[in-house]
């Protein structure tokens, strides 16, 4: 009995030791020294993703991560990814099982055979070697033991077998092309510190090879790049054998690799690489849910049925490029990427993944989903050297949310109040009970008065769009969220105005926006709500003026150049072109404009519109009274005491606009730049060019004016 009790106690002690947390238990919640770490992440969500991923893809009996799809094999890439995930999830038991598979299949001190099981193959894959070695280094800091010695041995082997003249080979047995996604430069920086046999030139050479292979406009790289021509090529290892070479499943990981290097080490070359991609990505896709699952390196999407959807592989891989860019626009985009990844999960089981009652993502996207989430949320820090990483507590209140506009809300339907002389504004949302929130509420006015100025403001959140199926469409169960504000010309907003009578050439909008805000036309001819041609507006912290060319083009307009649109003129890709009115017809039956948040995965947006001006082919602003038939008076500021001179903050550094008496003075503007002064009805009261450092402009009477200087707008009250 005593021996039994002693044995039982020993087993209990062993179990307690095995279950003991590592030095860095999940969640680590360590803000990276560089890049944008999501500060409000839900770590319980990541645990849930991990649980589902293990259930579907981890085979405990064999120590495998089932890959590519079925249940008959594993690949070294999957084992290495699994080792990385489990070291950060502090799951040593699974880590050791995976590492056992690595060692018993050619990887005892070397690279593992690239595939084990059905259709097995010999020889290593360099990216798997690099990730397994890094996982071992991190495991040494997480759990101690002999992992670091094993990592040093593997790094030494890789320096001889996976590298040739500082260039990255695809594996130890071949070198037929360069795979940009194998440029794991964050790993390389760690290897330099762990094993002196690893040259610092390997990372710098990798950046040179990446630069040579990327497209000069988009920054995209191909899955495989020819060593000599640096053009996209295909090899026997290419995933997309039936497609032309391009930015597909391998290449999708490259911006993630660069984000990793910037997060950990602030590598300037990694930041430059991602900045170029970000400059193409944000205006092309607008949100994480707008990323297609495959592109050619010139940015043309591959729209075959196989790829015409959004997935974790591409949304996360490409989206992480924006984490390396310091701008409010990039930050807002990154948050849409996080929201997208948070809603995507693995299938419940490997067999039949993605079919019928087993929805979800397959091995590759669900595995990358976890790796992307860990990195962007501060749960993949450099455990080998934590310098610069700072502990934080995720704060849900830091997530972007809707907010109320400042100022006095105007009454709905008041024709004495407007923006640029247009009075008929309204807020709307779906009221379907599917998560839509909005301020102001649907049916009320979005016009607010602040400092004698009227702006159209709104903040909106919508839920995800349903997946379209013929069955759901036939059953009428599809519910599409919507929220936005609209400006109609006439009180009977079912009627339009023939803008061709005024020789309309363009519409100029002064606004600031955050998130995916789409501006669209309203017309008598549009078949249904949501089918209007439009374009996404630029995001900006301050008011920005954008001119959109309204020259008819196909079913839309020349200035509505949304790259995601299927047809020219900004027509949404699901709209049947045969049912859509031509741009010329829309211009003749123009009802107004609307601005709404648009994100297939659900999202948040806000906007504030200061001016809307329709411009004729001579460049003159058309009097809104001619369009609407109603004259909107200037806002009344009251007659209380106040200074004779009023100074308004300029939106251009160094430029000031002041008013004194009946004159407006522009100070500090560049000589020769254009200026124009508009009444709030949109009438031009003065225009010309700046002649000197203090340009005086006479206005006809007291009131509030918009002063445009060099393309930027300032508001000034003349009292």
């Amino acid at each position: 009995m005593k021996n039994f009790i002693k044995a039982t106690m020993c087993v209990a002690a062993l179990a307690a030791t095995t279950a003991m947390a590592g030095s860095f238990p999940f969640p680590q919640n360590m803000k990276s020294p560089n890049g944008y770490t999501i500060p409000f992440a839900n770590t319980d969500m990541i645990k849930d993703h991990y649980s589902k991923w293990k259930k579907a893809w981890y085979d405990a009996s064999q120590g495998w991560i089932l890959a590519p799809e079925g249940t008959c094999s594993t690949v070294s890439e999957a084992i290495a990814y699994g080792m990385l995930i489990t070291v950060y999830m502090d799951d040593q038991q699974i880590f050791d099982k995976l590492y056992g598979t690595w060692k018993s299949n050619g990887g005892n001190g070397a690279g593992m055979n690239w595939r084990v099981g059905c259709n097995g193959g010999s020889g290593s894959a360099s990216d798997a070697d690099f990730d397994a070695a890094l996982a071992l280094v991190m495991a040494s800091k997480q759990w101690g033991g002999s992992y670091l010695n094993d990592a040093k041995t593997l790094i030494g082997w890789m320096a001889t077998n996976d590298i040739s003249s500082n260039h990255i080979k695809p594996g130890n047995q071949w070198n037929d092309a360069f795979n940009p996604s194998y440029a794991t430069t964050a790993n390389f920086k760690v290897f330099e510190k762990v094993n002196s046999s690893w040259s610092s030139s390997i990372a710098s050479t990798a950046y040179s090879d990446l630069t040579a292979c990327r497209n000069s406009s988009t920054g995209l790289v191909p899955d495989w790049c020819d060593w000599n021509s640096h053009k996209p090529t295909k090899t026997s290892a290419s995933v997309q054998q039936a497609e032309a070479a391009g930015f597909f499943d391998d290449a999708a990981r490259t911006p993630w690799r660069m984000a990793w290097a910037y997060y950990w080490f602030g590598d300037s070359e990694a930041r430059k690489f991602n900045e170029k991609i970000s400059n193409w990505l944000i205006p092309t896709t607008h949100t994480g849910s707008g990323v297609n699952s495959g592109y050619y390196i010139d940015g043309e999407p591959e729209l075959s049925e196989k790829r015409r959807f959004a997935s974790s592989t591409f949304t996360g891989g490409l989206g992480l490029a924006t984490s390396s860019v310091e701008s409010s626009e990039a930050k807002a985009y990154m948050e849409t990427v996080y929201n997208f990844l948070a809603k995507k999960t693995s299938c419940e089981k490997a067999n039949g993944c993605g079919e019928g009652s087993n929805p979800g993502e397959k091995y590759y996207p669900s595995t990358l989903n976890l790796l992307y989430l860990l990195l962007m949320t501060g749960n993949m820090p450099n455990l080998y050297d934590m310098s610069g990483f700072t502990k934080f507590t995720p704060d849900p209140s830091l997530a972007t949310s809707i907010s109320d506009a400042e100022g006095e809300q105007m009454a709905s339907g008041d024709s004495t109040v407007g923006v640029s002389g247009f009075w008929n504004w309204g807020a709307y949302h779906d009221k379907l009970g599917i998560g839509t929130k909005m301020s102001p509420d649907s049916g009320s006015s979005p016009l607010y008065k602040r400092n004698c100025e009227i702006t159209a403001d709104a903040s909106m959140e919508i839920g995800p769009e349903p997946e379209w199926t013929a069955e759901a469409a036939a059953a009428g169960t599809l519910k599409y969220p919507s929220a936005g504000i609209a400006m109609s010309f006439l009180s009977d907003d079912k009627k339009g105005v023939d803008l061709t009578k005024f020789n309309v050439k363009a519409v100029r909008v002064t606004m600031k926006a955050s998130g995916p805000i789409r501006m669209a036309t309203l017309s008598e001819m549009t078949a249904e709500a949501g089918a209007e041609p439009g374009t996404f507006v630029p995001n900006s912290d301050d008011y920005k003026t954008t001119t959109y060319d309204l020259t008819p083009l196909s079913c839309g307009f020349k200035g509505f150049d949304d790259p995601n649109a299927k047809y020219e003129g900004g027509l949404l890709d699901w709209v049947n072109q045969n049912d859509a009115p031509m741009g010329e017809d829309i211009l003749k039956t123009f009802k107004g404009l609307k601005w709404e948040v648009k994100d297939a995965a659900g999202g948040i947006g806000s906007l504030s519109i200061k001016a809307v001006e329709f411009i004729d082919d001579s460049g003159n602003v058309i009097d809104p009274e001619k369009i609407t038939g109603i004259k909107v008076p200037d806002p009344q500021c009251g007659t209380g005491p106040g200074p004779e001179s009023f100074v308004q903050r300029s939106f251009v550094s160094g430029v000031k606009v002041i008013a004194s008496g009946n004159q407006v003075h522009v100070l500090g503007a560049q000589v020769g730049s254009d200026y124009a002064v508009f009444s709030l009805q949109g009438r031009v009261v003065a225009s010309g060019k700046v002649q000197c450092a203090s340009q005086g402009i006479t206005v006809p009477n007291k009131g509030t004016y918009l002063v445009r200087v060099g393309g930027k707008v300032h508001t000034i009250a003349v009292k």
Side-chain angles (χ1 to χ4, degrees):
M1 179 64 73
K2 288 182 179 180
N3 289 337
F4 174 78
I5 293 174
K6 183 183 291 186
T8 303
M9 290 176 64
C10 288
V11 170
L14 178 61
T17 302
T18 303
M20 187 176 296
S23 298
F24 300 93
F26 180 85
Q28 291 85 36
N29 290 334
M30 301 295 291
K31 184 181 182 298
S32 296
N34 309 281
Y36 177 50
T37 301
I38 298 293
F40 52 81
N42 182 346
T43 53
D44 285 339
M45 172 271 296
I46 298 177
K47 288 180 182 179
D48 179 64
H49 281 218
Y50 178 57
S51 177
K52 290 181 179 178
W53 175 82
K54 284 191 301 180
K55 182 180 178 182
W57 307 111
Y58 174 59
D59 183 344
S61 65
Q62 300 183 91
W64 285 6
I65 301 298
L66 299 170
E69 296 317 345
T71 58
C72 65
S73 72
T74 189
V75 292
S76 58
E77 164 207 273
I79 297 299
Y81 283 162
M83 290 168 65
L84 280 171
I85 291 169
T86 52
V87 77
Y88 285 104
M89 296 305 297
D90 190 17
D91 198 334
Q92 187 177 12
Q93 183 179 24
I94 294 181
F95 181 95
D96 286 344
K97 289 276 285 187
L98 296 174
Y99 185 39
T101 297
W102 183 278
K103 290 188 291 184
S104 62
N105 288 280
N108 193 7
M112 174 185 163
N113 290 328
W114 76 273
R115 188 167 184 176
V116 178
C118 58
N119 302 315
S122 62
S124 75
S126 297
D127 64 326
D129 298 343
F130 300 153
D131 285 336
L134 186 72
L136 288 169
V137 174
M138 299 302 124
S140 72
K141 295 297 183 179
Q142 182 72 285
W143 304 302
S146 61
Y147 300 118
L148 187 59
N149 287 332
D150 290 359
K152 290 178 179 179
T153 301
L154 179 54
I155 293 167
W157 182 89
M158 294 186 305
T160 302
N161 291 272
D162 290 341
I163 304 296
S164 176
S165 300
N166 293 325
H167 294 279
I168 303 166
K169 295 167 56 180
N172 71 316
Q173 293 185 5
W174 45 79
N175 192 20
D176 46 356
F178 170 56
N179 188 313
S181 70
Y182 288 16
T184 61
T185 51
N187 305 38
F188 298 169
K189 295 284 188 179
V190 174
F191 297 164
E192 292 172 27
K193 298 180 180 181
V194 172
N195 190 326
S196 60
S197 67
W198 193 269
S199 170
S200 61
S201 297
I202 297 173
S204 58
T205 302
Y207 285 128
S208 296
D209 290 337
L210 286 169
T211 300
C213 291
R214 73 182 181 182
N215 180 272
S216 59
S217 297
T218 65
L220 297 179
V221 291
D223 285 350
W224 295 93
C225 178
D226 184 82
W227 280 120
N228 297 314
S229 68
H230 304 300
K231 301 295 185 183
T233 189
K234 291 167 67 175
T235 74
S236 59
S238 297
V239 176
Q240 77 301 343
Q241 289 294 338
E243 300 164 329
F247 182 91
F248 295 113
D249 298 85
D250 271 6
R253 303 173 296 184
T254 315
W256 161 56
R257 298 291 192 184
M258 296 299 99
W260 200 338
Y262 188 68
Y263 269 132
W264 281 17
F265 298 105
D267 274 13
S268 60
E269 291 300 318
R271 179 188 57 76
K272 290 176 185 176
F273 182 93
N274 274 348
E275 189 171 46
K276 193 167 192 67
I277 287 178
S278 184
N279 289 341
W280 163 80
L281 178 70
I282 295 175
T284 300
T285 63
H286 312 298
T287 69
S289 65
V291 177
N292 190 61
S293 290
Y295 294 87
Y296 297 100
I297 65 170
D298 63 357
E300 182 71 22
E302 169 51 63
L303 295 177
S304 62
E305 185 176 348
K306 175 184 176 183
R307 295 195 174 277
R308 195 176 179 182
F309 63 94
S311 69
S312 290
T313 301
F314 289 85
T315 292
L318 271 170
L320 270 160
T322 62
S323 71
S324 307
V325 179
E326 295 183 6
S327 73
S328 58
E329 188 174 42
K331 178 181 174 183
Y333 191 96
M334 261 289 289
E335 292 182 4
T336 73
V337 173
Y338 167 80
N339 290 334
F340 180 92
L341 296 176
K343 293 168 185 173
K344 288 285 186 180
T345 61
S346 170
C347 293
E348 291 286 343
K349 56 184 179 179
N351 284 328
C353 178
E355 301 173 5
S357 61
N358 189 19
E361 293 195 313
K362 296 183 177 182
Y363 146 72
Y364 193 64
S366 66
T367 303
L368 289 173
N369 175 287
L370 269 170
L371 289 164
Y372 295 156
L373 282 171
L374 288 170
L375 182 64
M376 69 170 60
T377 62
N379 289 294
M380 190 180 275
N382 180 5
L383 304 183
Y384 189 76
D385 182 0
M386 296 289 280
S387 301
F389 289 86
T390 54
K391 188 75 175 176
F392 73 99
T393 300
D395 183 353
S397 70
L398 297 176
T400 302
S401 59
I402 67 168
S403 58
D404 294 332
E406 297 179 355
E408 178 189 357
Q409 185 179 12
M410 301 290 96
S412 179
D414 185 350
S415 62
T416 66
V417 178
V419 172
S420 301
F422 296 107
W423 66 275
N424 193 19
W425 294 78
Y428 63 89
H429 68 70
D430 53 62
K431 295 187 176 180
L432 294 172
I434 54 176
T436 299
K437 303 174 185 176
M438 183 177 184
S439 177
D441 195 15
S442 180
S444 64
S445 172
L447 300 185
Y448 290 83
K449 185 176 182 181
R450 294 185 298 275
N451 297 326
C452 198
E453 179 179 43
I454 305 295
T455 57
D457 298 351
S459 181
M460 304 150 287
E461 178 178 2
I462 59 170
E465 295 180 357
E467 182 177 351
W468 187 92
T469 65
E471 296 77 14
T477 58
L478 296 175
K479 294 182 178 181
Y480 289 95
S482 64
I485 62 174
M487 179 274 289
S488 300
F489 290 151
L490 306 179
S491 56
D492 181 354
D493 59 11
K494 293 182 180 180
K495 290 186 177 181
V497 174
D498 184 357
L499 292 185
T500 64
K501 292 181 178 179
F502 306 110
N503 298 318
V504 167
K505 172 66 176 175
V507 61
R508 187 164 55 200
V509 182
T510 301
M511 66 181 298
K512 58 182 177 180
S514 175
I517 302 295
R518 186 174 187 267
M519 181 181 77
T521 62
L522 298 174
S523 166
E524 285 184 50
M525 305 290 291
T526 303
E528 60 180 301
E532 306 92 349
T535 187
F536 282 84
V537 304
N539 279 203
S540 60
D541 292 328
D542 283 328
Y543 289 96
K544 179 178 181 179
T545 299
T546 306
T547 300
Y548 303 92
D549 191 337
L550 291 182
T551 302
L553 182 67
S554 182
C555 296
F557 302 96
K558 189 175 180 180
F560 287 10
D561 55 354
D562 179 7
N564 268 359
K566 183 177 180 181
Y567 306 112
E568 293 180 318
L571 192 63
L572 290 165
D573 60 7
W574 54 265
V575 176
N576 187 330
Q577 191 176 24
N578 294 326
D579 296 335
M582 302 301 289
E584 183 75 24
D585 295 328
I586 297 172
L587 202 61
K588 290 179 179 179
T589 58
F590 214 97
K591 291 164 51 179
L593 296 167
K594 71 174 183 177
W595 294 261
E596 59 185 352
V597 62
K598 202 77 174 174
D599 190 339
I604 296 175
S606 62
L607 60 94
S608 179
I609 300 170
K610 181 175 283 192
V612 178
E613 303 158 287
F614 288 87
I615 303 167
D616 65 21
D617 51 12
S618 298
N620 299 314
V621 176
I622 299 167
D623 188 339
E625 186 178 349
K626 293 181 178 180
I627 299 175
T628 67
I630 293 179
K631 177 179 176 61
V632 178
D634 289 331
Q636 299 301 307
C637 300
T639 57
E644 288 297 315
S645 182
F646 176 86
V647 180
Q648 173 72 19
R649 180 179 66 86
S650 171
F651 296 127
V652 183
S653 178
V655 177
K656 288 185 177 181
V657 178
I658 66 172
S660 181
N662 67 340
Q663 276 211 327
V664 173
H665 291 271
V666 177
L667 308 177
Q670 183 176 352
V671 173
S673 58
D674 295 322
Y675 73 79
V677 181
F678 301 87
S679 71
L680 290 187
Q681 291 97 353
R683 298 187 183 90
V684 178
V685 300
S687 63
K689 291 186 179 292
V690 174
Q691 303 293 331
C692 55
S694 177
Q695 178 73 46
I697 307 168
T698 301
V699 293
N701 44 47
K702 296 179 181 180
T704 301
Y705 295 90
L706 301 177
V707 182
R708 189 189 312 284
V709 183
K712 300 292 184 178
V713 174
H714 316 265
T715 304
I716 191 73
V718 178
K719 297 183 178 181

